[in-house]
């Protein structure tokens, strides 16, 4: 997967009697460790959306088409803005629909052997003064049976090339898989992957999901967004609690607020069909069974984590998972663990050794193929763990 990234906030300047939007981007992988190097230039399209309840899309690059070429590390270009309608938000995407990731279904189950490029969106701030340097991603979700409304998953992230406070492949692919499990009917006659995970997401009683190491929050927000649209989930309460270190709180809470604004979820009221919240959790505390009030307030059917096996805290992570299981089992819950990871280094296998040594077993697993443009295919692995 490649990502279009804004290197700085787009700015509007007056030039020769017209407003001009100045943009600087790069196209790179999730960890910003490789730039897109296409055999042929990749045409880009910039779509503007006006303000209002029914924004009108406007192609801002009908003739002056920006192109990304091999060897580029950055691309800067100017886009003339129309006098009317006033443009509030822009989308920068690959012009070729076959390589543009516009829906979760493009990612999973996927319909192409080609790799994809994830578009980027940005709101135009008055005077170009976006002090937070924030952009967002938006993907259309599958439409549940009998509905025609277009629903999207939106997640903010920070601008720039740093891998911090960004969406990574593991979370993006897993949330696309979750959306498929919750919202796409199986008309093919083939069994969907991860039946244990599916049964948890479709259970009749209240459903509590805890996420560890949420980062910007794509997985937790994705669970909440998909379950809020699932007919079965609307019949019972679903509570999603995202956790991470305190420095992740600002972006995670911003994405909770964005999700709340989209579909009217409650950040903490469990009387609504779906609630979504955040709490600090340091695994060094978790390994000792020390959890915050929100974690302690519920028993957890599912503990989910994605892109968390790349650091040196694997022993305390496993101990935290076991402490959570122990706490919940004392109250009658049989907590399962869902891990999503894109293998990057053999050292990550230590996590599985530690889990096995601590009494965890792999209950089911699947690998989601992840084609990459002009490179070898990759995969995101998803595991369900259980413990006696």
């Amino acid at each position: 997967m490649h990502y279009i990234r804004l290197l700085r906030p787009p700015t509007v300047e007056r030039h020769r009697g017209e407003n001009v939007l100045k943009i600087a981007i790069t196209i790179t992988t999730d960890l910003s460790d490789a730039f897109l190097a296409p055999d042929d230039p990749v045409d880009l399209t910039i779509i503007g959306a006006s303000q209002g309840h029914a924004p009108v899309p406007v192609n801002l690059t009908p003739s002056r088409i920006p192109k990304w070429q091999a060897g580029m590390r950055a691309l800067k270009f100017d886009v003339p803005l129309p006098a009317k309608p006033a443009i509030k938000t822009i989308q920068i995407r690959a012009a070729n629909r076959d390589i543009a990731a516009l829906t979760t279904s493009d990612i999973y189950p996927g319909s192409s052997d080609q790799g994809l490029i994830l578009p980027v969106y940005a709101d135009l701030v008055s005077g170009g003064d976006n002090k937070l340097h924030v952009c967002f991603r938006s993907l259309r979700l599958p439409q549940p049976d009998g509905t025609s409304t277009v629903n999207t998953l939106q997640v903010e992230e920070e601008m720039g090339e740093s891998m911090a406070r960004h969406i990574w492949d593991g979370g993006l692919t897993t949330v696309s898989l979750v959306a498929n499990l919750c919202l796409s009917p199986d008309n093919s006659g083939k069994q969907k992957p991860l039946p244990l995970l599916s049964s948890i997401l479709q259970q009749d009683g209240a459903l509590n999901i805890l996420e560890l190491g949420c980062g910007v929050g794509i997985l937790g927000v994705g669970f909440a967004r998909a379950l809020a649209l699932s007919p079965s989930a609307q019949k019972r309460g679903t509570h999603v609690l995202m956790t991470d270190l305190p420095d992740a709180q600002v972006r995670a809470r911003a994405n909770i607020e964005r999700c709340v604004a989209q579909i009217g979820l409650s950040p903490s009221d469990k009387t609504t069909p779906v609630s979504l919240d955040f709490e600090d959790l340091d695994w060094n505390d978790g390994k000792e069974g020390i959890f915050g009030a929100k974690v302690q307030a519920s028993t957890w059917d599912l503990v989910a984590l994605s892109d968390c096996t790349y650091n040196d805290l694997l022993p305390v992570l496993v101990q935290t998972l076991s402490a959570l299981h122990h706490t919940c089992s004392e109250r009658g819950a049989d907590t399962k663990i869902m891990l999503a990871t894109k293998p990057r280094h053999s050292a990550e296998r230590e996590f599985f050794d530690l889990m096995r040594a601590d009494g965890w077993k792999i209950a089911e697993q699947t690998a989601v193929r992840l084609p990459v443009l002009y490179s070898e295919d990759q995969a995101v692995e998803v595991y369900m763990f259980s413990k006696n």
Side-chain angles (χ1 to χ4, degrees):
M1 181 79 68
H2 285 87
Y3 298 72
I4 299 175
R5 300 198 189 281
L6 284 162
L7 296 175
R8 58 174 183 255
T11 58
V12 179
E13 297 182 4
R14 196 74 177 167
H15 181 69
R16 294 182 179 178
E18 66 176 359
N19 288 330
V20 175
L21 184 62
K22 304 185 80 66
I23 297 174
I25 66 165
T26 188
I27 305 180
T28 184
T29 54
D30 60 345
L31 299 189
S32 297
D33 54 359
F35 297 96
L36 177 63
D39 293 341
D40 300 306
V42 174
D43 291 351
L44 302 175
T45 296
I46 291 80
I47 305 294
S50 59
Q51 300 184 21
H53 294 292
V56 179
V58 179
N59 184 356
L60 302 177
T61 50
S63 55
R64 298 167 61 178
I65 300 174
K67 297 178 182 290
W68 180 271
Q69 303 181 59
M72 282 184 167
R73 298 175 63 89
L75 174 61
K76 301 177 182 178
F77 54 94
D78 296 344
V79 178
L81 291 176
K84 291 184 178 180
I87 301 300
K88 177 186 177 183
T89 304
I90 60 167
Q91 175 205 49
I92 307 174
R93 51 163 286 192
N96 181 355
R97 175 64 183 88
D98 290 340
I99 60 172
L102 302 183
T103 73
T104 57
S105 297
D106 291 336
I107 300 168
Y108 182 86
S111 58
S112 173
D113 289 334
Q114 298 186 82
L116 298 171
I117 301 174
L118 188 68
V120 66
Y121 296 72
D123 295 324
L124 300 185
V125 181
S126 178
D129 186 20
N130 187 341
K131 294 180 181 178
L132 294 178
H133 285 232
V134 169
C135 55
F136 66 97
R137 308 290 180 174
S138 182
L139 290 166
R140 289 197 300 274
L141 293 162
Q143 293 177 323
D145 283 345
T147 65
S148 58
T149 304
V150 175
N151 296 294
T152 60
L153 169 66
Q154 294 186 6
V155 179
E156 292 182 7
E157 64 175 12
E158 296 181 3
M159 298 182 189
E161 295 181 71
S162 168
M163 67 181 183
R165 304 293 169 259
H166 280 165
I167 293 166
W168 290 3
D169 286 347
L172 181 64
T173 303
T174 306
V175 83
S176 300
L177 170 62
V178 168
N180 179 269
L181 294 177
C182 293
L183 301 175
S184 293
D186 186 9
N187 298 322
S188 65
K190 298 180 180 179
Q191 184 179 25
K192 288 190 176 185
L194 305 176
L196 174 59
L197 176 60
S198 294
S199 67
I200 293 172
L201 297 179
Q202 296 168 10
Q203 69 184 37
D204 293 332
L207 173 61
N208 293 320
I209 300 175
L210 176 68
E211 183 184 6
L212 302 187
C214 69
V216 299
I218 184 170
L219 186 56
V221 169
F223 268 118
R225 191 73 173 96
L227 289 167
L229 296 170
S230 172
S232 60
Q234 292 174 2
K235 299 175 184 177
R236 42 112 166 123
T238 297
H239 179 48
V240 180
L241 178 63
M242 306 189 303
T243 66
D244 207 325
L245 293 171
D247 60 0
Q249 181 170 180
V250 171
R251 192 59 46 231
R253 286 200 178 278
N255 280 316
I256 290 173
E257 292 174 4
R258 181 178 284 268
C259 189
V260 168
Q262 270 193 291
I263 51 177
L265 295 180
S266 168
S268 58
D269 182 2
K270 297 183 183 179
T271 64
T272 58
V274 178
S275 62
L276 178 62
D277 206 352
F278 175 89
E279 185 173 60
D280 299 344
L281 175 55
D282 187 327
W283 299 341
N284 285 301
D285 294 329
K287 72 174 183 176
E288 305 293 342
I290 301 171
F291 300 107
K294 295 176 184 177
V295 172
Q296 295 184 62
S298 299
T299 55
W300 302 100
D301 302 289
L302 181 69
V303 176
L305 56 157
S306 174
D307 297 309
C308 287
T309 59
Y310 312 134
N311 56 50
D312 57 359
L313 294 176
L314 294 181
V316 296
L317 170 57
V318 172
Q319 292 168 34
T320 297
L321 293 172
S322 293
L324 282 166
H325 183 273
H326 176 74
T327 299
C328 293
S329 64
E330 286 190 327
R331 297 160 65 183
D334 183 17
T335 302
K336 300 295 191 294
I337 307 297
M338 189 204 78
L339 166 76
T341 182
K342 188 177 85 169
R344 303 176 194 266
H345 195 275
S346 58
E348 297 162 32
R349 304 307 301 179
E350 180 188 2
F351 174 83
F352 297 89
D353 295 336
L354 291 168
M355 290 287 278
R356 188 181 307 109
D358 217 25
W360 291 96
K361 296 181 179 180
I362 296 175
E364 61 185 15
Q365 66 187 85
T366 192
V368 179
R369 179 171 169 263
L370 193 64
V372 181
L373 283 169
Y374 307 103
S375 187
E376 296 181 357
D377 286 358
Q378 298 176 347
V380 171
E381 298 174 356
V382 184
Y383 298 85
M384 290 291 292
F385 291 89
S386 62
K387 187 174 186 177
N388 293 330

